[in-house]
């Protein structure tokens, strides 16, 4: 439901909320406007989430800037009732109501953001302009955190990784409408390709978790190929 909810004005997380953009693991890319909201998160956290598929839980979804409010799940029925009871709700009314629930929610309040200790590394390691450079930086860093990210990235579709990095870098300065047009083009490129079908097979159908990516290495995914994925589709482009 991320694609439906993340572009909303108000985004409420509970202790049960689980957020991830795991698409690079199935030969896809963070669609549904991922190219718009991910690069707009603080630092390079959006790039990190997009490329590694890292999962955020509960209050961390708020701390990452994806959710706007945190409310305990048991309070949701009361919150819903109060929202419905608002006579002619304005943005301010809704914000006030959500804030009143938010400040009373104490679950995990004292807990440090799960990525806090790694943010400095994330911001420097994931600021590179190419996937090869990100991998190089991770290898040079050599810390347990960097090695773990290398392991994760090595399992992802090389084509998806390159596509995703460019999607976020370009989407950072585009309107949501233009991002959705770009992502439609990418979706069609994935449908024409190999990795999306192979990723779905390996992760969702056969569940052997052993996708055989083609090409199998980042170096084999040419800039020309990636460029082609972003090309306008003429009459077949998304019309919004």
């Amino acid at each position: 439901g991320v694609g439906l909810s993340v572009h909303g004005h108000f985004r409420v997380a509970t202790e049960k909320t689980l957020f991830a953009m795991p698409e690079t693991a199935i030969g896809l890319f963070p669609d549904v406007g991922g190219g718009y909201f991910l690069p707009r998160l603080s630092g390079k956290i959006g790039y990190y989430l997009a490329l590694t598929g890292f999962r955020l839980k509960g209050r961390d979804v708020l701390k990452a800037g994806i959710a706007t409010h945190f409310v305990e799940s048991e309070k949701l029925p009361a919150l819903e009732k109060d929202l419905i009871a608002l006579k002619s709700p304005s943005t301010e009314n809704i914000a006030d109501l959500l804030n009143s629930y938010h400040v009373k929610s104490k679950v995990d309040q004292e807990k440090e953001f799960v990525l806090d200790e790694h943010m400095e590394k994330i911001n420097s390691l994931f600021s590179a302009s190419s996937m090869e450079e990100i991998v190089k930086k991770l290898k040079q860093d050599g810390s347990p955190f960097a090695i773990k990210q290398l392991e994760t990235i090595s399992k992802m579709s090389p084509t998806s990784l390159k596509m995703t990095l460019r999607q976020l870098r370009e989407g950072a300065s585009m309107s949501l409408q233009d991002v959705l047009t770009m992502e439609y083009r990418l979706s069609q490129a994935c449908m024409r390709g190999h990795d999306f079908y192979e990723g779905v097979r390996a992760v969702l159908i056969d569940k052997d978790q052993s996708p055989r990516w083609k090409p199998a290495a980042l170096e084999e995914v040419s800039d020309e190929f990636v460029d082609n994925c972003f090309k306008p589709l003429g009459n077949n482009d998304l019309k919004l």
Side-chain angles (χ1 to χ4, degrees), residues 42-45 118-127:
S42 69
K44 293 293 172 185
I45 192 167
H118 306 301
M119 274 320 296
E120 211 175 305
K121 277 197 192 302
I122 287 171
N123 290 340
S124 88
L125 297 169
F126 287 83
S127 64

Side-chain angles (χ1 to χ4, degrees), residues 14-78:
T14 76
E15 74 282 1
K16 294 178 180 176
T17 302
L18 182 63
F19 169 93
M21 298 300 274
E23 289 83 4
T24 53
I26 57 161
L28 203 57
F29 58 92
D31 54 347
V32 301
Y36 182 81
F37 79 89
L38 288 165
R40 284 166 173 77
L41 298 176
S42 69
K44 293 293 172 185
I45 192 167
Y47 291 78
Y48 171 71
L49 295 172
L51 297 169
T52 66
F54 184 81
R55 291 174 160 208
L56 292 171
K57 292 175 189 162
R59 207 176 268 274
D60 286 332
V61 181
L62 171 83
K63 288 178 178 169
I66 295 154
T68 57
H69 295 80
F70 180 86
V71 178
E72 281 133 5
S73 56
E74 61 180 39
K75 301 271 171 56
L76 288 183

Side-chain angles (χ1 to χ4, degrees), residues 118-156:
H118 306 301
M119 274 320 296
E120 211 175 305
K121 277 197 192 302
I122 287 171
N123 290 340
S124 88
L125 297 169
F126 287 83
S127 64
S129 56
S130 72
M131 273 314 302
E132 286 89 342
E133 208 182 322
I134 288 175
V135 168
K136 190 178 156 194
K137 279 182 154 196
L138 287 166
K139 282 178 179 165
Q140 282 171 345
D141 184 275
S143 63
F145 174 76
I147 289 162
K148 200 174 166 192
Q149 306 324 307
L150 271 174
E151 276 172 26
T152 301
I153 283 170
S154 70
K155 294 181 183 138
M156 306 303 191

Side-chain angles (χ1 to χ4, degrees), residues 162-181:
K162 286 204 167 178
M163 209 185 254
T164 298
L165 181 59
R166 174 151 164 197
Q167 171 205 2
L168 266 60
R169 286 173 63 85
E170 295 204 359
S173 57
M174 290 163 88
S175 67
L176 176 58
Q177 194 163 346
D178 287 343
V179 165
L180 292 172
T181 302

